[in-house]
């Protein structure tokens, strides 16, 4: 009975510590839009960055209204989490698992959701390219091909489009995309991973009611990955003629591609789960079980 009561009504968003955050880890601030609306926003300091600057953050008593004078803002503006930095962090975490925890790569599965899929792909590709290390499997949930392509289809919360209103004006789209610093080329990295690896066990999972990142991104990455298993290249039609398909009912399916038993690619399109909740659904656990033959 108690679980049916939403206790968030008794929590103050201006006091993020009530939601489990550390002191000054979250800084609320407002953004005024051109049409006069005010957007209430949280800036969250990543935990690794918080730990490295904990003393400064704890003792920062700057008025919340002066957000651009806070320590958190200084960290945001001077040392952003860029693409290469996140890849370095991911590589370091996996290296720790192998070197310190003594977990062999064949017992490690890399799992990422949303932006995490770009990080997981980059980390797996780097280990394969630099160290010739293959992991037990890679699971990508609600992934995307690359940031430029994503911004052309992405909608905040599924309602506020980013660049899709500019489709009739490709020159303007190109202008905006030219300012991107981090492009997260997951499609090319995934193809490189499949080509370089001796063994690949890749699972792509996406829900049809993901209104932020359309599931067609995963569809495209499935074909890209399958194509990369062939030296001569394969058309989508050729892949469709060989791939295996299993209908699960409720408008859900699993399609799989098996290249000589060494490179396995699976695409699981589910009906529900949205963008965030799908990562908590049994489909992900199922993929991990299949990777480890549990």
């Amino acid at each position: 009975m108690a679980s049916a009561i939403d206790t968030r009504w008794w929590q103050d968003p201006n006091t993020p510590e009530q939601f489990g955050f550390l002191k000054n880890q979250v800084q609320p601030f407002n953004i005024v839009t051109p049409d006069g609306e005010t957007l209430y926003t949280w800036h969250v300091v990543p935990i690794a960055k918080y730990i490295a600057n904990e003393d400064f953050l704890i003792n920062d008593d700057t008025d919340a209204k002066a957000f651009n004078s806070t320590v958190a803002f200084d960290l945001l503006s001077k040392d952003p989490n860029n693409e290469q930095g996140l890849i370095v962090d991911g590589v370091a975490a996996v290296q720790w698992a192998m070197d310190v925890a003594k977990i062999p790569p064949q017992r490690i599965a890399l799992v990422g959701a949303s932006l995490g899929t770009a990080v997981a792909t980059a980390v797996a590709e780097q280990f394969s390219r630099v160290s010739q290390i293959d992991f037990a499997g890679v699971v990508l949930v609600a992934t995307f091909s690359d940031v430029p392509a994503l911004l052309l289809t992405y909608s905040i919360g599924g309602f506020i489009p980013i660049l899709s209103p500019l489709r009739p004006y490709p020159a303007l789209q190109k202008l905006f995309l030219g300012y991107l610093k981090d492009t997260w080329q997951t499609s090319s990295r995934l193809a490189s991973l499949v080509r370089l690896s001796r063994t690949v066990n890749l699972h792509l999972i996406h829900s049809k009611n993901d209104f932020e990142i359309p599931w067609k991104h995963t569809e495209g990455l499935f074909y890209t990955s399958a194509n990369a298993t062939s030296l001569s290249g394969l058309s989508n039609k050729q892949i469709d003629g060989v791939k295996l398909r299993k209908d699960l009912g409720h408008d859900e399916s699993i399609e799989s591609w098996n290249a000589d038993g060494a490179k396995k690619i699976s695409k699981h399109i589910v009906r529900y789960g949205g963008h965030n909740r799908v990562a908590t659904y049994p489909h992900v656990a199922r993929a991990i079980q299949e990777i480890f033959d549990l």
Side-chain angles (χ1 to χ4, degrees), residues 209-251:
N209 70 338
D210 184 339
F211 300 115
E212 296 183 51
I213 300 180
W215 66 274
K216 290 296 183 179
H217 280 268
T218 287
E219 180 98 340
L221 289 176
F222 174 79
Y223 286 113
T224 296
S225 303
N227 175 64
T229 64
S230 171
L231 293 176
S232 58
L234 297 166
S235 67
N236 289 2
K237 186 175 181 180
Q238 288 174 308
I239 294 171
D240 286 338
V242 179
K243 70 182 181 183
L244 299 177
R245 178 183 173 88
K246 182 179 181 180
D247 289 317
L248 303 177
H250 299 292
D251 201 24

Side-chain angles (χ1 to χ4, degrees), residues 245-266:
R245 178 183 173 88
K246 182 179 181 180
D247 289 317
L248 303 177
H250 299 292
D251 201 24
E252 298 187 359
S253 65
I254 295 179
E255 293 183 354
S256 56
W257 179 264
N258 193 329
D260 300 324
K263 299 185 178 184
K264 303 175 181 177
I265 301 162
S266 172

Side-chain angles (χ1 to χ4, degrees), residues 19-146:
F19 296 85
F21 291 100
L22 301 171
K23 182 182 178 182
N24 288 339
Q25 183 186 2
V26 176
Q27 182 63 64
F29 67 102
N30 294 325
I31 298 175
V32 179
T33 65
D35 60 354
E37 297 292 334
T38 299
L39 305 179
Y40 181 81
T41 311
W42 273 8
H43 167 242
V44 183
V45 178
I47 189 64
K49 187 70 63 181
Y50 184 94
I51 293 173
N53 299 273
E54 187 171 27
D55 291 340
F56 297 105
L57 287 163
I58 289 176
N59 295 310
D60 183 18
D61 294 322
T62 306
D63 191 326
K65 294 181 180 179
F67 172 60
N68 57 356
S69 299
T70 63
V71 173
F73 180 82
D74 193 52
L75 293 174
L76 170 68
S77 59
K78 292 184 178 180
D79 190 15
N81 281 314
N82 57 23
E83 180 171 345
Q84 192 54 44
L86 288 175
I87 295 172
V88 169
D89 291 346
V91 169
V94 175
Q95 199 71 56
W96 180 92
M98 294 190 294
D99 295 345
V100 180
K102 304 299 181 183
I103 303 174
Q106 60 268 26
R107 296 300 302 165
I108 295 175
L110 303 184
V111 182
S114 194
L115 177 59
T117 63
V119 179
T121 301
V123 169
E125 191 271 342
Q126 181 165 317
F127 271 102
S128 183
R129 173 170 45 83
V130 176
S131 308
Q132 291 75 54
I133 291 177
D134 296 330
F135 298 102
V138 177
V139 181
L140 306 180
V141 186
T143 188
F144 56 93
S145 55
D146 56 70

